[in-house]
Short mmCIF file of all heavy atoms in Angstrom, two decimals:
data_model
loop_
_atom_site.label_atom_id
_atom_site.label_comp_id
_atom_site.label_asym_id
_atom_site.label_seq_id
_atom_site.Cartn_x
_atom_site.Cartn_y
_atom_site.Cartn_z
N THR A 158 -36.26 19.23 -8.20
CA THR A 158 -35.34 20.28 -8.64
C THR A 158 -35.04 20.10 -10.12
O THR A 158 -34.40 19.13 -10.53
CB THR A 158 -34.02 20.21 -7.83
OG1 THR A 158 -34.32 20.34 -6.45
CG2 THR A 158 -33.08 21.33 -8.27
N PRO A 159 -35.50 21.03 -10.97
CA PRO A 159 -35.32 20.82 -12.42
C PRO A 159 -33.88 21.06 -12.85
O PRO A 159 -33.14 21.84 -12.25
CB PRO A 159 -36.26 21.87 -13.03
CG PRO A 159 -36.34 22.96 -12.00
CD PRO A 159 -36.24 22.26 -10.67
N GLN A 160 -33.51 20.35 -13.91
CA GLN A 160 -32.23 20.61 -14.55
C GLN A 160 -32.34 20.19 -16.01
O GLN A 160 -33.27 19.48 -16.40
CB GLN A 160 -31.09 19.86 -13.87
CG GLN A 160 -31.04 18.37 -14.17
CD GLN A 160 -29.67 17.77 -13.89
OE1 GLN A 160 -29.34 17.53 -12.74
NE2 GLN A 160 -28.89 17.52 -14.94
N ILE A 161 -31.38 20.64 -16.78
CA ILE A 161 -31.35 20.27 -18.20
C ILE A 161 -30.88 18.83 -18.33
O ILE A 161 -29.86 18.45 -17.74
CB ILE A 161 -30.41 21.20 -18.98
CG1 ILE A 161 -30.94 22.64 -18.99
CG2 ILE A 161 -30.21 20.70 -20.41
CD1 ILE A 161 -32.27 22.81 -19.67
N GLY A 162 -31.62 18.02 -19.07
CA GLY A 162 -31.13 16.71 -19.45
C GLY A 162 -30.17 16.85 -20.63
O GLY A 162 -30.19 17.85 -21.33
N ARG A 163 -29.34 15.84 -20.84
CA ARG A 163 -28.37 15.93 -21.93
C ARG A 163 -28.37 14.63 -22.71
O ARG A 163 -28.53 13.54 -22.15
CB ARG A 163 -26.98 16.23 -21.39
CG ARG A 163 -26.86 17.55 -20.64
CD ARG A 163 -25.43 17.83 -20.21
NE ARG A 163 -24.57 18.13 -21.36
CZ ARG A 163 -24.47 19.33 -21.92
NH1 ARG A 163 -25.19 20.35 -21.45
NH2 ARG A 163 -23.66 19.53 -22.94
N THR A 164 -28.18 14.73 -24.01
CA THR A 164 -28.00 13.57 -24.87
C THR A 164 -27.08 13.97 -26.01
O THR A 164 -27.18 15.09 -26.54
CB THR A 164 -29.34 13.04 -25.40
OG1 THR A 164 -29.12 11.86 -26.17
CG2 THR A 164 -30.06 14.05 -26.26
N HIS A 165 -26.19 13.12 -26.39
CA HIS A 165 -25.21 13.41 -27.43
C HIS A 165 -24.44 14.70 -27.15
O HIS A 165 -24.06 15.43 -28.07
CB HIS A 165 -25.87 13.49 -28.80
CG HIS A 165 -26.51 12.20 -29.24
ND1 HIS A 165 -25.79 11.10 -29.62
CD2 HIS A 165 -27.83 11.85 -29.31
CE1 HIS A 165 -26.61 10.11 -29.92
NE2 HIS A 165 -27.85 10.53 -29.73
N GLY A 166 -24.24 15.00 -25.85
CA GLY A 166 -23.44 16.17 -25.49
C GLY A 166 -24.16 17.50 -25.62
O GLY A 166 -23.52 18.55 -25.51
N ILE A 167 -25.48 17.49 -25.85
CA ILE A 167 -26.22 18.75 -25.98
C ILE A 167 -27.47 18.69 -25.11
O ILE A 167 -27.86 17.64 -24.61
CB ILE A 167 -26.61 19.02 -27.45
CG1 ILE A 167 -27.52 17.90 -27.98
CG2 ILE A 167 -25.37 19.15 -28.33
CD1 ILE A 167 -28.08 18.16 -29.37
N HIS A 168 -28.11 19.86 -24.94
CA HIS A 168 -29.32 19.93 -24.14
C HIS A 168 -30.40 19.04 -24.74
O HIS A 168 -30.57 18.93 -25.95
CB HIS A 168 -29.84 21.37 -24.09
CG HIS A 168 -29.00 22.25 -23.20
ND1 HIS A 168 -29.34 23.55 -22.94
CD2 HIS A 168 -27.86 22.01 -22.51
CE1 HIS A 168 -28.43 24.07 -22.12
NE2 HIS A 168 -27.53 23.16 -21.86
N ALA A 169 -31.20 18.43 -23.84
CA ALA A 169 -32.30 17.56 -24.26
C ALA A 169 -33.52 17.87 -23.41
O ALA A 169 -33.69 18.99 -22.92
CB ALA A 169 -31.88 16.10 -24.14
N GLU A 170 -34.38 16.87 -23.20
CA GLU A 170 -35.57 17.07 -22.38
C GLU A 170 -35.16 17.42 -20.94
O GLU A 170 -34.12 16.98 -20.45
CB GLU A 170 -36.41 15.79 -22.35
CG GLU A 170 -36.91 15.32 -23.70
CD GLU A 170 -37.96 16.25 -24.27
OE1 GLU A 170 -38.63 16.95 -23.48
OE2 GLU A 170 -38.11 16.30 -25.50
N PRO A 171 -35.97 18.20 -20.24
CA PRO A 171 -35.67 18.50 -18.84
C PRO A 171 -35.85 17.26 -17.95
O PRO A 171 -36.69 16.40 -18.24
CB PRO A 171 -36.69 19.59 -18.48
CG PRO A 171 -37.83 19.38 -19.43
CD PRO A 171 -37.21 18.89 -20.70
N ILE A 172 -35.03 17.18 -16.93
CA ILE A 172 -35.17 16.13 -15.92
C ILE A 172 -35.09 16.81 -14.55
O ILE A 172 -35.07 18.04 -14.48
CB ILE A 172 -34.05 15.07 -16.04
CG1 ILE A 172 -32.66 15.70 -15.84
CG2 ILE A 172 -34.13 14.34 -17.37
CD1 ILE A 172 -31.52 14.69 -15.75
N THR A 173 -35.06 16.04 -13.51
CA THR A 173 -34.78 16.61 -12.19
C THR A 173 -33.41 16.13 -11.73
O THR A 173 -32.93 15.06 -12.15
CB THR A 173 -35.83 16.19 -11.15
OG1 THR A 173 -35.73 14.80 -10.89
CG2 THR A 173 -37.24 16.55 -11.62
N PHE A 174 -32.81 16.95 -10.86
CA PHE A 174 -31.52 16.54 -10.30
C PHE A 174 -31.70 15.26 -9.48
O PHE A 174 -30.79 14.42 -9.42
CB PHE A 174 -30.97 17.67 -9.43
CG PHE A 174 -29.57 17.43 -8.93
CD1 PHE A 174 -28.58 16.92 -9.77
CD2 PHE A 174 -29.24 17.72 -7.62
CE1 PHE A 174 -27.29 16.70 -9.31
CE2 PHE A 174 -27.95 17.49 -7.15
CZ PHE A 174 -26.98 16.99 -7.99
N GLY A 175 -32.87 15.08 -8.90
CA GLY A 175 -33.15 13.85 -8.15
C GLY A 175 -33.07 12.62 -9.03
O GLY A 175 -32.59 11.56 -8.61
N LEU A 176 -33.55 12.73 -10.28
CA LEU A 176 -33.47 11.60 -11.21
C LEU A 176 -32.01 11.26 -11.50
O LEU A 176 -31.64 10.07 -11.56
CB LEU A 176 -34.20 11.93 -12.51
CG LEU A 176 -34.08 10.89 -13.63
CD1 LEU A 176 -34.65 9.54 -13.19
CD2 LEU A 176 -34.76 11.39 -14.90
N LYS A 177 -31.19 12.28 -11.66
CA LYS A 177 -29.77 12.04 -11.93
C LYS A 177 -29.12 11.29 -10.76
O LYS A 177 -28.38 10.32 -10.96
CB LYS A 177 -29.06 13.37 -12.16
CG LYS A 177 -27.65 13.26 -12.73
CD LYS A 177 -27.10 14.63 -13.05
CE LYS A 177 -25.83 14.54 -13.88
NZ LYS A 177 -26.07 14.03 -15.24
N ILE A 178 -29.44 11.72 -9.54
CA ILE A 178 -28.87 11.05 -8.37
C ILE A 178 -29.43 9.65 -8.23
O ILE A 178 -28.72 8.72 -7.82
CB ILE A 178 -29.14 11.88 -7.09
CG1 ILE A 178 -28.46 13.25 -7.21
CG2 ILE A 178 -28.64 11.14 -5.85
CD1 ILE A 178 -28.75 14.19 -6.04
N ALA A 179 -30.72 9.47 -8.60
CA ALA A 179 -31.31 8.13 -8.54
C ALA A 179 -30.58 7.17 -9.47
O ALA A 179 -30.43 5.98 -9.16
CB ALA A 179 -32.80 8.19 -8.91
N ASN A 180 -30.10 7.67 -10.59
CA ASN A 180 -29.30 6.84 -11.49
C ASN A 180 -27.99 6.42 -10.81
O ASN A 180 -27.57 5.27 -10.92
CB ASN A 180 -28.99 7.60 -12.78
CG ASN A 180 -30.02 7.35 -13.86
OD1 ASN A 180 -30.04 6.29 -14.48
ND2 ASN A 180 -30.90 8.32 -14.06
N TRP A 181 -27.36 7.36 -10.11
CA TRP A 181 -26.13 7.01 -9.38
C TRP A 181 -26.42 5.97 -8.30
O TRP A 181 -25.63 5.05 -8.09
CB TRP A 181 -25.54 8.27 -8.73
CG TRP A 181 -25.12 9.33 -9.71
CD1 TRP A 181 -24.84 9.16 -11.04
CD2 TRP A 181 -24.94 10.72 -9.44
NE1 TRP A 181 -24.50 10.35 -11.62
CE2 TRP A 181 -24.54 11.34 -10.66
CE3 TRP A 181 -25.08 11.52 -8.30
CZ2 TRP A 181 -24.29 12.69 -10.75
CZ3 TRP A 181 -24.81 12.88 -8.39
CH2 TRP A 181 -24.43 13.46 -9.60
N PHE A 182 -27.57 6.15 -7.62
CA PHE A 182 -27.96 5.19 -6.58
C PHE A 182 -28.13 3.79 -7.18
O PHE A 182 -27.62 2.80 -6.64
CB PHE A 182 -29.26 5.63 -5.92
CG PHE A 182 -29.84 4.62 -4.97
CD1 PHE A 182 -29.39 4.55 -3.65
CD2 PHE A 182 -30.82 3.74 -5.39
CE1 PHE A 182 -29.91 3.60 -2.78
CE2 PHE A 182 -31.35 2.79 -4.53
CZ PHE A 182 -30.89 2.73 -3.21
N SER A 183 -28.81 3.71 -8.31
CA SER A 183 -29.04 2.42 -8.94
C SER A 183 -27.73 1.77 -9.37
O SER A 183 -27.52 0.56 -9.18
CB SER A 183 -29.96 2.60 -10.16
OG SER A 183 -30.20 1.37 -10.80
N GLU A 184 -26.83 2.57 -9.95
CA GLU A 184 -25.53 2.05 -10.35
C GLU A 184 -24.75 1.55 -9.13
O GLU A 184 -24.11 0.49 -9.17
CB GLU A 184 -24.74 3.13 -11.07
CG GLU A 184 -23.37 2.67 -11.55
CD GLU A 184 -22.60 3.78 -12.26
OE1 GLU A 184 -23.16 4.88 -12.45
OE2 GLU A 184 -21.42 3.54 -12.61
N ASN A 185 -24.83 2.29 -8.04
CA ASN A 185 -24.11 1.90 -6.83
C ASN A 185 -24.66 0.60 -6.26
O ASN A 185 -23.89 -0.22 -5.72
CB ASN A 185 -24.21 3.02 -5.78
CG ASN A 185 -23.30 2.78 -4.60
OD1 ASN A 185 -22.08 2.73 -4.75
ND2 ASN A 185 -23.87 2.61 -3.42
N GLN A 186 -25.97 0.38 -6.37
CA GLN A 186 -26.54 -0.88 -5.90
C GLN A 186 -25.97 -2.06 -6.69
O GLN A 186 -25.69 -3.12 -6.12
CB GLN A 186 -28.07 -0.86 -6.03
CG GLN A 186 -28.78 0.13 -5.12
CD GLN A 186 -28.48 -0.12 -3.65
OE1 GLN A 186 -27.63 0.54 -3.06
NE2 GLN A 186 -29.16 -1.08 -3.07
N ARG A 187 -25.79 -1.87 -7.99
CA ARG A 187 -25.18 -2.92 -8.80
C ARG A 187 -23.72 -3.12 -8.41
O ARG A 187 -23.22 -4.25 -8.40
CB ARG A 187 -25.30 -2.58 -10.30
CG ARG A 187 -26.74 -2.56 -10.81
CD ARG A 187 -26.80 -2.53 -12.33
NE ARG A 187 -26.19 -1.34 -12.90
CZ ARG A 187 -26.82 -0.18 -13.09
NH1 ARG A 187 -28.09 -0.04 -12.71
NH2 ARG A 187 -26.20 0.85 -13.64
N ASN A 188 -23.03 -2.02 -8.10
CA ASN A 188 -21.64 -2.13 -7.66
C ASN A 188 -21.54 -2.95 -6.37
O ASN A 188 -20.62 -3.76 -6.21
CB ASN A 188 -21.05 -0.74 -7.42
CG ASN A 188 -20.82 0.03 -8.70
OD1 ASN A 188 -20.72 -0.56 -9.78
ND2 ASN A 188 -20.75 1.35 -8.60
N ILE A 189 -22.46 -2.73 -5.44
CA ILE A 189 -22.45 -3.49 -4.19
C ILE A 189 -22.62 -4.97 -4.47
O ILE A 189 -21.92 -5.81 -3.89
CB ILE A 189 -23.56 -2.97 -3.24
CG1 ILE A 189 -23.22 -1.55 -2.75
CG2 ILE A 189 -23.73 -3.91 -2.04
CD1 ILE A 189 -24.34 -0.88 -1.98
N LYS A 190 -23.56 -5.30 -5.35
CA LYS A 190 -23.78 -6.72 -5.67
C LYS A 190 -22.55 -7.32 -6.33
O LYS A 190 -22.13 -8.44 -5.99
CB LYS A 190 -24.99 -6.88 -6.59
CG LYS A 190 -25.33 -8.34 -6.88
CD LYS A 190 -26.55 -8.47 -7.78
CE LYS A 190 -26.92 -9.95 -7.94
NZ LYS A 190 -25.85 -10.81 -8.43
N ARG A 191 -21.92 -6.58 -7.25
CA ARG A 191 -20.72 -7.10 -7.91
C ARG A 191 -19.60 -7.33 -6.90
O ARG A 191 -18.87 -8.32 -6.98
CB ARG A 191 -20.27 -6.14 -9.02
CG ARG A 191 -21.08 -6.24 -10.30
CD ARG A 191 -20.38 -5.50 -11.44
NE ARG A 191 -20.47 -4.07 -11.25
CZ ARG A 191 -21.42 -3.29 -11.80
NH1 ARG A 191 -22.36 -3.85 -12.54
NH2 ARG A 191 -21.43 -1.99 -11.61
N LEU A 192 -19.45 -6.39 -5.98
CA LEU A 192 -18.40 -6.53 -4.96
C LEU A 192 -18.67 -7.76 -4.09
O LEU A 192 -17.75 -8.53 -3.80
CB LEU A 192 -18.32 -5.28 -4.10
CG LEU A 192 -17.32 -5.36 -2.95
CD1 LEU A 192 -15.89 -5.39 -3.47
CD2 LEU A 192 -17.50 -4.20 -1.98
N ARG A 193 -19.93 -7.93 -3.66
CA ARG A 193 -20.26 -9.08 -2.82
C ARG A 193 -20.00 -10.39 -3.56
O ARG A 193 -19.48 -11.34 -2.99
CB ARG A 193 -21.72 -9.00 -2.39
CG ARG A 193 -21.99 -7.94 -1.32
CD ARG A 193 -23.47 -7.77 -1.06
NE ARG A 193 -23.70 -6.81 0.03
CZ ARG A 193 -24.88 -6.24 0.27
NH1 ARG A 193 -25.92 -6.52 -0.50
NH2 ARG A 193 -25.01 -5.38 1.27
N ASP A 194 -20.37 -10.43 -4.84
CA ASP A 194 -20.16 -11.64 -5.63
C ASP A 194 -18.67 -11.93 -5.77
O ASP A 194 -18.23 -13.08 -5.62
CB ASP A 194 -20.79 -11.49 -7.01
CG ASP A 194 -22.32 -11.51 -6.97
OD1 ASP A 194 -22.88 -11.91 -5.93
OD2 ASP A 194 -22.94 -11.10 -7.98
N ALA A 195 -17.88 -10.89 -6.04
CA ALA A 195 -16.44 -11.09 -6.20
C ALA A 195 -15.80 -11.53 -4.89
O ALA A 195 -14.95 -12.43 -4.86
CB ALA A 195 -15.79 -9.80 -6.70
#
Side-chain angles (χ1 to χ4, degrees):
T158 302
Q160 76 160 77
I161 295 297
R163 299 184 69 84
T164 183
H165 297 288
I167 61 173
H168 286 184
E170 300 291 335
I172 61 172
T173 68
F174 187 44
L176 174 60
K177 191 174 192 69
I178 298 176
N180 268 285
W181 297 339
F182 172 84
S183 180
E184 181 180 356
N185 190 63
Q186 294 301 100
R187 295 193 298 273
N188 289 339
I189 292 172
K190 184 179 185 305
R191 282 193 287 266
L192 176 68
R193 286 172 177 164
D194 289 345

